Amino acid sequence: MSRAWKHQFDPEPWSPDDDAGPASRLDPGASAGRLMLRRFLRHRLAVLAALFLGLSYLSLPFVDFLAPYGANERDVEHLYAPPQPIHLFHEGRFVGPFVYPTAGRADLREYRWRYETDATRPMPLGFFCPGAPYRFLGLVETRLRLVCPPEGATLHLLGTDRLGRDILSRLAIGAQLSLTVGLLGIAVSFGIGVTLGGMAGYFGGRTDYAVQRLSEILKSLPELPLWLALSAAVPAHWSPVAVFLCISVILGLLDWPGLARAVRSRFLALREEDFVMAAELMGASPARIIGRHLLPNFASHLLASATLSIPAMILGETALSFLGLGLRPPATSWGVMLNDAQNLTAVETYPWVSAPMIPVILVVLSFNFLGDGLRDALDPYHDS
Amino acid sequence: MDATGGETTGLAGDGTGTMLTVDSLSIRFRRSAAARPVVEDVSFSIDAGESVALVGESGSGKTLTCRSILRILPRGAEVCGGAIQFGCGAERADLLRLPAKRLRDVRGSRISMIFQEPMSALSPLHTIGAQTAEVLRLHGQASRAKAREESLRMFERVGFPDPDRAFRSYPFQLSGGLRQRAMIAMAMVARPKLLIADEPTTALDVTLQAQVLALIKTLQAETGMAVLLVTHDLGVVANMADAVVVLRAGRVMESGNCADVLGRPLHGYTRKLMMAAPVIPECPAPSFPCPAGADAILEFHDIAKTFERGDRTVKALNGVDLRLRRGETLAIVGESGSGKTTLARLAMLADRPDPGGRILFRPDAGKPAMDLLDQTGAGLLGYRRSAQMVFQDPYASLSPRMTVGAIIAEPLAIHGIGGAAERRERVRALMAQVGLDPAWTNRYPHAFSGGQRQRIGIARALALDPALLICDEPTSALDVSVQAQVLDLLESIKTRLGLSLMFISHDLAVVARLADRVAVMRAGQVVEQAPPGILFSAPLHPYTQALIAASPEPDVSRPIDIATVARGAGRPDLWPDSFRPTPDRSGPPLLEIAPGHFVRRAA
């Protein structure tokens, strides 16, 4: 049985024109790109990753200047030298950055190198001093380096490898190839993926069928043997740069199906949107529909997919070079360096030779975080 | 917190009859920049056997309020004050402070909920029966066999023609109406003390809505449960609720008995809602007769459209003949599956009809008509220029990456009209024409509300000075008060620019104020066609009668006539003899029984 309700109302003054609330919690004046940027900045890990990657890529042209040694500069006195710390205080007195000299001897009982530090002689580091010659940006021959080892001592912050080359310097210089192989590879796979995926999505029917099956076949091939076969076909006498280009192209050629699929599904989804239909009914040509209505709405998604596929490229290069089929010495890349780490005894006795794993992990993780952040940010209208 | 506070509880202080007391409830969004809560100090209570409606437009906080009762608020929302007492006597407890385990005992068994969209609220991988029986099994109320038996009984009760088959069906095998019935069965099977229905019929056609509402009402009478109905539709309130709470922007504007609030609204907002609610006029204004043989801008001749669905074919349209006269508004009304949207798509040449039909377009009065289906190239482009469309969903029909200025100028750009400065000028004029501030050209669609977006859509459609405007449910995604404004806008634009309007809608009440002629469609055919004055006062076809009867009015003295609805909206063999389809399934012919009044029935 229903009881009597008291009929009452809110006594506060009221006007019918009052806005019942903002139409949206988003800034009305901001463009979609701006909203995305704001949303991206909220994603801390992604911003951190972006900063890290940004710094890494920006420093690529200057690594020769930043690194204390050249990539193939050997120090036969210091084979497999362990990582060396930089000190600031000697016997309680501030000296500034310096190193203690080390001297190696062969331990013939355990059959390995042993290094002893002479902690009585602090040797200050030199800054903006001449080191081994290199070509700055490949143009100007120079010797100027940010930091150099003092005369009579060494500066191997991450130790040296089998041939006495400084691992830190090689890591920095190897980044030039390892980081760019991803970009080049992605450019290739992007080109193929967008073209084929776009065609599949726009024309549908047989084209779609053909592209889909082709990508499925590519995806079903065992990846590693295929890489191996293709890179074994690269002539051994080619220069490191030619091999590098070839490897990027190979990686790109095999990686496009994922991107093509992303493009195709996005295309199909967008084609069904009312605003695309509206443009069609207004009489817009296919070129205009693609260029003005479809592309802007999925360019950002492409960016995210591409970012997420770069790590695969970097890992691919590393894997190939590790197996000795990618880049070959004297070219320096992280994979080539890890080639040294194939020897288990070496890794056990001199663990620092596997140091290139660290940048590989960092870069791959950063790209993943960045990609995730981008993907989240790209849909600024979806409230989290 | 004092549990007996709030203005309404004092009236039911004995506590035996009160099932639920919501007491100065406030909800806010944690990360929201606005300091103000989205639900603020809302209080009401429901007795056993009573129905209370929470009414409000989008953003009023009605759904948040009802979800907080079961503590299923969306991510980011939190209750920041108040109490929700549920139960009688010793069982009474504050749901907001109940431990999770005890809350689970309450959910589903003593309070259950019906959601708006049955397709997404039912698990697609389980049969309806398993999902319903699960409710009983979860609460340990029944053995497997008993649960099955109970579920079957409930299926029968909610009107499944074959409960056994329903028990074994998956949600996708059922129609929308049956799915909502399954949802109700699931909510009711444990005999809850309180049923929360969040827009239970918004996704349904009106005739189905009428039947589902009647079902909830009967079940309530049988079990004596309390019902909390959340809706935006005052017509539904008038038919269902004993008491009503009007919400706006999270605050209670007005509350009281249904008859009081709807009969003598005290608050300005309630009055505004009442005014905006579209109503089928009881004594419609006599519509002016159109001169016979007047010049038709668009003509459909024997239009059929068949879709292939796997190995079977679906006839979406079956022999439609319609004429849209120059300068008139032709409303096409029908429920889902009637073919009205297909007709709109054909009119826009987004699709082609089956061979044999003809669509004629006469760009200027007295000129020869052109057959649209033969047009290619320049002719087609010309038609695209003079016929424009307003879409249903104002959110999907505007590209989120273009500014409003670019969106409105897009048709001009496509047809290469004017220079940049000229287009800018035109955009500003159009925005002013549809009631938008021309200074907003550089904003993006996300900055606008649904109604404003629909205005943008209309401005875009007007950019090319079309002769013909096709509106596909332009207001069905909008709030009632906004709907009224958009309808006003369309009407004034039509008269000012002398447009011809083809207006597609599922709602007779919406077209009542706008149309010069109404065509009622069912299953791909026009069943009745007349000026609104005649159609609403003397409908002849049982289906039209059902549509009119099912349309809920915000007036407690005019309840839905469920018998008429059931007769007209059911299978055609329930119709009187003369209306029944002929054995070859084509139906009787469309007869002109009075000037301008056509009905599909045997002579």
Side-chain angles (χ1 to χ4, degrees):
Chain A
M1 192 56 252
S2 171
R3 81 203 121 92
W5 278 55
K6 206 165 105 198
H7 187 185
Q8 53 197 353
F9 67 101
D10 188 37
E12 274 183 34
W14 176 87
S15 120
D17 307 319
D18 266 359
D19 201 1
S24 132
R25 279 185 277 155
L26 305 168
D27 178 359
S31 71
R34 220 188 172 82
L35 289 174
M36 280 179 204
L37 182 67
R38 274 186 214 160
R39 214 172 139 100
F40 180 75
L41 290 179
R42 283 219 305 259
H43 210 291
R44 296 239 176 88
L45 216 47
V47 174
L48 210 66
L51 282 178
F52 171 72
L53 290 174
L55 277 179
S56 306
Y57 275 97
L58 276 182
S59 58
L60 282 188
F62 314 108
V63 282
D64 288 308
F65 167 70
L66 297 171
Y69 293 93
N72 293 312
E73 195 180 338
R74 293 185 57 194
D75 179 355
V76 286
E77 297 291 305
H78 291 87
L79 307 180
Y80 283 131
Q84 211 181 349
I86 293 182
H87 301 271
L88 289 174
F89 294 93
H90 178 65
E91 289 169 351
R93 193 166 45 84
F94 180 76
V95 184
F98 70 91
V99 289
Y100 292 118
T102 56
R105 66 179 171 82
D107 177 346
L108 290 178
R109 190 175 322 167
E110 287 184 33
Y111 207 69
R112 58 169 293 183
W113 289 93
R114 297 249 178 232
Y115 285 87
E116 264 140 33
T117 310
D118 177 2
T120 56
R121 290 188 295 143
M123 306 190 81
L125 301 176
F127 289 97
F128 297 102
C129 42
Y134 63 93
R135 281 184 164 278
F136 182 67
L137 299 178
L139 302 170
V140 193
E141 171 106 9
T142 172
R143 302 173 67 92
L144 188 70
R145 287 177 186 271
L146 176 66
V147 54
C148 328
E151 201 66 45
T154 54
L155 180 63
H156 299 305
L157 295 180
L158 287 177
T160 61
D161 65 3
R162 185 168 52 93
L163 298 174
R165 296 173 295 192
D166 181 44
I167 289 185
L168 182 69
S169 305
R170 281 171 65 75
L171 272 187
I173 294 160
Q176 285 183 323
L177 289 186
S178 288
L179 288 181
T180 42
V181 75
L183 295 190
L184 253 168
I186 218 64
V188 173
S189 105
F190 206 76
I192 305 177
V194 171
T195 317
L196 289 185
M199 273 162 55
Y202 193 79
F203 297 113
R206 273 190 202 173
T207 325
D208 186 23
Y209 186 85
V211 172
Q212 289 281 89
R213 295 302 89 79
L214 185 62
S215 75
E216 273 154 22
I217 291 169
L218 265 184
K219 276 276 172 202
S220 67
L221 294 175
E223 222 168 36
L224 207 56
L226 195 63
W227 283 350
L228 294 182
L230 283 173
S231 27
V234 179
H237 57 82
W238 280 15
S239 75
V241 175
V243 174
F244 163 75
L245 284 176
C246 208
I247 295 289
S248 325
V249 171
I250 289 170
L251 290 176
L253 281 178
L254 295 181
D255 189 68
W256 63 264
L259 256 176
R261 206 167 281 190
V263 172
R264 171 183 173 271
S265 63
R266 194 74 203 138
F267 235 104
L268 288 180
L270 275 175
R271 272 193 69 95
E272 296 302 311
E273 292 279 346
D274 272 355
F275 65 85
V276 177
M277 164 89 143
E280 238 161 80
L281 293 187
M282 286 184 288
S285 63
R288 189 170 178 94
I289 289 173
I290 295 179
R292 192 142 163 79
H293 296 271
L294 293 176
L295 268 181
N297 276 291
F298 80 36
S300 42
H301 284 261
L302 287 186
L303 190 67
S305 329
T307 312
L308 285 172
S309 355
I310 292 178
M313 297 282 164
I314 293 178
L315 288 176
E317 184 274 330
T318 311
L320 276 180
S321 306
F322 174 78
L323 294 171
L325 282 157
L327 299 170
R328 291 164 202 152
T332 311
S333 81
W334 296 341
V336 171
M337 292 175 71
L338 280 172
N339 202 338
D340 284 350
Q342 271 182 350
N343 182 341
L344 204 60
T345 357
V347 174
E348 212 183 335
T349 0
Y350 314 111
W352 52 89
V353 293
S354 40
M357 277 168 46
I358 296 166
V360 172
I361 292 173
L362 279 181
V363 166
V364 169
L365 273 183
S366 299
F367 269 114
N368 279 329
F369 289 144
L370 177 66
D372 273 348
L374 282 178
R375 197 169 44 189
D376 284 355
L378 292 182
D379 197 1
Y381 305 110
H382 193 272
D383 247 331
S384 69
Chain B
M1 182 92 23
D2 179 13
T4 55
E7 56 268 287
T8 51
T9 42
L11 295 162
D14 58 7
T16 49
T18 310
M19 190 52 69
L20 179 88
T21 310
V22 174
D23 183 23
S24 40
L25 178 75
S26 295
I27 301 173
R28 66 187 168 99
F29 276 101
R30 237 169 273 141
R31 265 209 320 233
S32 161
R36 222 169 65 79
V38 282
V39 170
E40 201 178 349
D41 203 19
V42 169
S43 302
F44 59 92
S45 71
I46 310 177
D47 282 2
E50 188 183 38
S51 308
V52 172
L54 284 182
V55 186
E57 297 185 291
S58 50
S60 62
K62 56 186 192 300
T63 295
L64 284 178
T65 305
C66 85
R67 293 196 159 217
S68 67
I69 295 171
L70 284 176
R71 300 227 303 252
I72 46 173
L73 287 175
R75 213 148 56 103
E78 62 181 4
V79 172
C80 58
I84 298 177
Q85 302 283 341
F86 171 73
C88 313
E91 281 193 333
R92 201 163 174 81
D94 185 350
L95 293 177
L96 294 176
R97 286 164 188 81
L98 216 54
K101 192 176 168 322
R102 286 190 53 207
L103 184 69
R104 279 206 295 277
D105 292 339
V106 172
R107 285 180 183 165
S109 77
R110 279 182 290 157
I111 303 181
S112 55
M113 188 153 176
I114 303 175
F115 294 89
Q116 175 171 356
E117 190 37 80
M119 193 56 188
S120 52
L122 293 171
S123 161
L125 292 180
H126 297 100
T127 59
I128 300 284
Q131 295 183 54
T132 311
E134 188 188 16
V135 178
L136 293 172
R137 304 275 297 147
L138 274 182
H139 296 285
Q141 290 180 356
S143 65
R144 191 171 291 272
K146 183 100 188 324
R148 184 187 150 85
E149 197 182 305
E150 282 283 313
S151 311
L152 285 177
R153 195 173 309 139
M154 192 44 80
F155 282 157
E156 193 172 349
R157 191 60 212 84
V158 298
F160 274 103
D162 183 353
D164 257 320
R165 214 178 96 194
F167 195 87
R168 293 190 311 268
S169 310
Y170 289 90
F172 70 87
Q173 293 171 316
L174 302 178
S175 66
L178 285 185
R179 259 184 236 136
Q180 196 58 296
R181 276 170 204 266
M183 188 87 220
I184 293 173
M186 203 182 300
M188 295 291 304
V189 72
R191 313 235 155 226
K193 297 268 184 275
L194 172 66
L195 178 71
I196 301 173
D198 184 4
E199 304 264 10
T201 55
T202 308
L204 303 179
D205 284 330
V206 263
T207 53
L208 272 175
Q209 158 168 295
Q211 294 169 40
V212 167
L213 291 179
L215 172 65
I216 295 179
K217 228 173 162 175
T218 347
L219 289 172
Q220 182 187 19
E222 275 172 26
T223 61
M225 65 179 173
V227 173
L228 177 62
L229 177 74
V230 176
T231 182
H232 67 281
D233 188 339
L234 287 173
V236 170
V237 174
N239 276 283
M240 290 293 289
D242 302 314
V244 56
V245 178
V246 183
L247 287 176
R248 177 177 169 272
R251 293 171 54 87
V252 176
M253 293 289 112
E254 182 164 2
S255 64
N257 278 323
C258 211
D260 290 340
V261 174
L262 298 184
R264 294 177 284 107
L266 296 178
H267 198 281
Y269 178 65
T270 320
R271 279 200 287 269
K272 182 179 155 199
L273 279 186
M274 296 282 297
M275 299 264 284
V279 181
I280 293 180
E282 249 176 317
C283 334
S287 45
F288 60 94
C290 263
D295 153 59
I297 185 165
L298 193 67
E299 285 176 47
F300 298 89
H301 289 288
D302 197 23
I303 292 296
K305 177 73 188 170
T306 316
F307 289 107
E308 308 272 339
R309 289 269 180 278
D311 48 358
R312 84 202 161 92
T313 55
V314 179
K315 256 196 153 29
L317 289 176
N318 188 3
V320 171
D321 289 286
L322 276 175
R323 284 158 58 86
L324 172 59
R325 299 194 188 107
R326 194 175 302 281
E328 82 164 349
T329 303
L330 171 65
I332 295 174
V333 180
E335 302 192 307
S336 44
S338 62
K340 57 187 192 302
T341 297
T342 309
L343 192 65
R345 288 178 57 88
L346 292 182
M348 286 305 296
L349 296 183
D351 250 331
R352 298 187 84 76
D354 294 348
R358 291 199 310 154
I359 304 178
L360 300 181
F361 174 64
R362 207 171 272 110
D364 298 293
K367 294 269 179 63
M370 60 190 212
D371 190 337
L372 287 179
L373 301 175
D374 297 340
Q375 299 299 322
T376 48
L380 185 62
L381 209 59
Y383 179 66
R384 292 255 180 266
R385 222 178 130 158
S386 40
Q388 293 292 323
M389 182 146 178
V390 178
F391 289 81
Q392 173 173 10
D393 184 349
Y395 294 86
S397 57
L398 307 177
S399 169
R401 298 297 156 87
M402 287 164 84
T403 62
V404 169
I407 289 173
I408 299 176
E410 182 67 6
L412 301 173
I414 287 173
H415 291 272
I417 297 168
E422 239 171 288
R423 280 181 204 163
R424 237 185 338 264
E425 211 35 61
R426 178 88 178 117
V427 167
R428 294 174 67 85
L430 283 166
M431 286 183 75
Q433 193 169 25
V434 298
L436 291 170
D437 186 343
W440 290 340
T441 39
N442 287 325
R443 292 195 176 181
Y444 285 80
H446 68 77
F448 296 89
S449 65
Q452 288 172 327
R453 288 180 195 217
Q454 202 55 294
R455 284 169 195 267
I456 298 170
I458 294 173
R460 171 175 65 185
L462 295 179
L464 290 172
D465 273 326
L468 170 64
L469 206 56
I470 295 174
C471 305
D472 184 10
E473 305 244 19
T475 61
S476 64
L478 304 177
D479 277 330
V480 202
S481 58
V482 180
Q483 162 170 296
Q485 294 164 11
V486 171
L487 288 178
D488 283 342
L489 174 68
L490 278 174
E491 204 164 12
S492 76
I493 283 175
K494 187 213 133 193
T495 16
R496 197 147 22 110
L497 304 180
L499 295 178
S500 312
L501 220 61
M502 187 166 144
F503 192 97
I504 314 270
S505 178
H506 67 280
D507 191 345
L508 272 177
V510 165
V511 306
R513 55 186 289 176
L514 201 66
D516 299 318
R517 278 188 311 140
V518 183
V520 178
M521 286 190 69
R522 184 185 175 283
Q525 289 188 319
V526 176
V527 294
E528 187 161 4
Q529 182 189 324
I534 300 174
L535 193 79
F536 294 138
S537 57
L540 287 175
H541 200 278
Y543 182 70
T544 317
Q545 290 168 352
L547 271 188
I548 293 173
S551 175
E553 313 262 338
D555 181 350
V556 281
S557 60
R558 288 165 66 192
I560 293 175
D561 173 6
I562 193 71
T564 311
V565 176
R567 183 158 43 87
R571 278 168 307 156
D573 26 325
L574 298 175
W575 294 344
D577 268 342
S578 54
F579 296 102
R580 281 186 208 162
T582 45
D584 63 338
R585 301 183 46 110
S586 63
L590 202 57
L591 288 184
E592 183 161 18
I593 51 151
H597 189 177
F598 297 83
V599 182
R600 192 170 284 280
R601 79 162 182 210

